[in-house]
Amino acid sequence: MNRFRNALSVTALALAIGLAGCATAPTSTGTSLTGTTSTGNSSTGSSTTSGTSGTAQAAVSLDTLAADTHYDADDLTWDAASEVAVTLADGASSVASGSSSDAVTVDGDTVTVNAAGTYRLSGSLSDGQVVVAAGEEDVVRIILDGAEISSSTGSPFVVQNANEAIVYLEDGTSNSLSDASTYADTAADAPNAALYSHADLTIAGTGSLSVDGNFNDGISSKDGLVLAAGNVTVDATDDGIVGKDYAVLLDGAYQVTAGDDGFKSDNEEDEGRGWVLINGGTLNVSAVDDGIKAFNTLTIAAGVATVGESEEGLEAQHIVISGGTANITANDDGVNASGGSTTSASGGGMGGGEAVGDYTVEVTGGSLTINSQGDGLDSNGNASISGGTVVVNGPTNSGNGALDVNGELTVTGGTVAAAGSVGMVVTPGTSSTQSGVQVTLGSAVPAGTVVQIADSAGTVVAAFVTTKATASLVFSSAAITEGQEYTVYTGGTATVSAGVGEGSLDGADQVSTVTAGEYTAGGMGGGGGGFGPRR
């Protein structure tokens, strides 16, 4: 068991993401631990038929995770004969006969685990608490086997002390944790979540868990947090799921509804900490503020992450999309590289002189789809796209842009389709090696409009379906040849996934012609391609 691993640096993470595929970990009682290959749902617009999206995964290996987090797959393997059975009951909780009298104590409706080991909890407490108060080097494994625990005075499940706590959801069972709406103890270091841990926390198993955070957070670890599996629903007044040093999703299905941030890591003090990794499974977030947030680096390497509602969808100092599927909906910015502990440099983007800080958005693979009312993909520093698919359904107002980069937007691969208003258009910068086109539609076209780009031979090289009123489109892919002329059409039919795909010009109307590599950025946008043509 590793108490404290070295921090996962941005460089180490980038190297790990470069690994093809992911290792398969051992399993315990049928638990799937990591790296499920997930395919995003196809999205269609009017006059379209559904397509299929198969996104290559680039999951971080379990060896890398074991080196940089507290997580070990061996933690999920144990001798069933060593389990201590605990039955929860109002006023009558009990420990199986033959168990050490010191391992578990019962005081009224408070059940306390005092030592390392594996404990199987079943039954219910309508107003009670489970407490883990083990030694500094102890690994405590709590199996929830049809357990329902509520508290009227505080948190129903608290890890006060341990090396690591593992909450294992028994296959085929339903479990629940619900805290009080007001806590008796509101000191600064007191528990403030329905599932609260001072130690490293792992959630695993294939059972289900419902968490109601009526006071503040739903699940909170003041150390590291790894979600290895589970079917978990969290409804929280404040933040949904929080890991201080890091928050990692390996597998399972997590549904989060939060009154503030959805899924995040918030360590601002320790260098290299405060990072988030989605490495498999599914995460669905509905948040009042940020959907998925990291103080340092936020990485989506595999799995499916959906932010269905948020103020800002993804936010971190550095944002990396290397695999998997991310679907982001935001009232403000969809993807926002900002915050963190960076310092800014003056003399930024060509479109308005904004400062260029140590902020980055990097897309190397996977599928990223954004629907935003503010900026779509926004970096207060630089941004690069070298693989994968990026589709931005940006703002309809001219005060924001589908792309907003204070430094330079570099496109060297992948597919980019960024639609929005004409007021703040950012285009690929001079360091880009993959060409593209900038389409201005004149007046905005309505949602569901098919926009097609055809080469000089009349072959459709790209089709895009709008999800809202759209006046401009920036498109880049390997199908676009620098310096060649392309004709833009609206109408016809298209087969798309996440808004982009193949089209037919039958019934389409010609709008304009554009030349690949010639960009004219608009308004006060960020760096991008700047003003005037670029060849």
Side-chain angles (χ1 to χ4, degrees), residues 1 130 141 175 177 191 232-233 281 308 381 388 412 480 501 512 529:
M1 168 56 52
V130 171
R141 188 179 297 104
N175 307 276
L177 300 172
V232 179
T233 301
T412 59
I480 301 296
S512 63

Side-chain angles (χ1 to χ4, degrees), residues 241-254:
I241 300 177
V242 183
K244 183 176 182 180
D245 288 347
Y246 47 83
V248 178
L249 173 62
L250 299 182
D251 208 345
Y254 284 74

Side-chain angles (χ1 to χ4, degrees), residues 12 18 31 76 172 204 237 243 257 261 283 285 292 327 338 348 361 378 387 400 412 417 446 464 525 531:
T31 303
L76 305 186
T237 300
T257 303
D261 299 330
L283 173 64
V285 173
I292 305 173
N327 300 304
S338 66
V361 175
D378 185 355
N400 294 285
T412 59
F464 177 78
F531 295 96

Side-chain angles (χ1 to χ4, degrees), residues 2 18 30 32 69 79 110 215 229 235 256 281 286 295 347 354 395 432 470-471 476 523 526 531-532:
N2 35 359
S32 175
T69 71
D79 181 6
T110 299
F215 173 67
D235 194 338
V256 179
S286 176
F295 179 77
E354 294 182 80
S432 300
T470 299
S476 175
F531 295 96

Side-chain angles (χ1 to χ4, degrees), residues 81-86 94-106 111-119:
S82 68
E83 294 178 8
V84 176
V86 179
S94 61
V95 184
S97 60
S99 302
S100 170
S101 59
D102 296 330
V104 182
T105 57
V106 178
V111 176
T112 303
V113 174
N114 301 299
T118 302
Y119 304 84

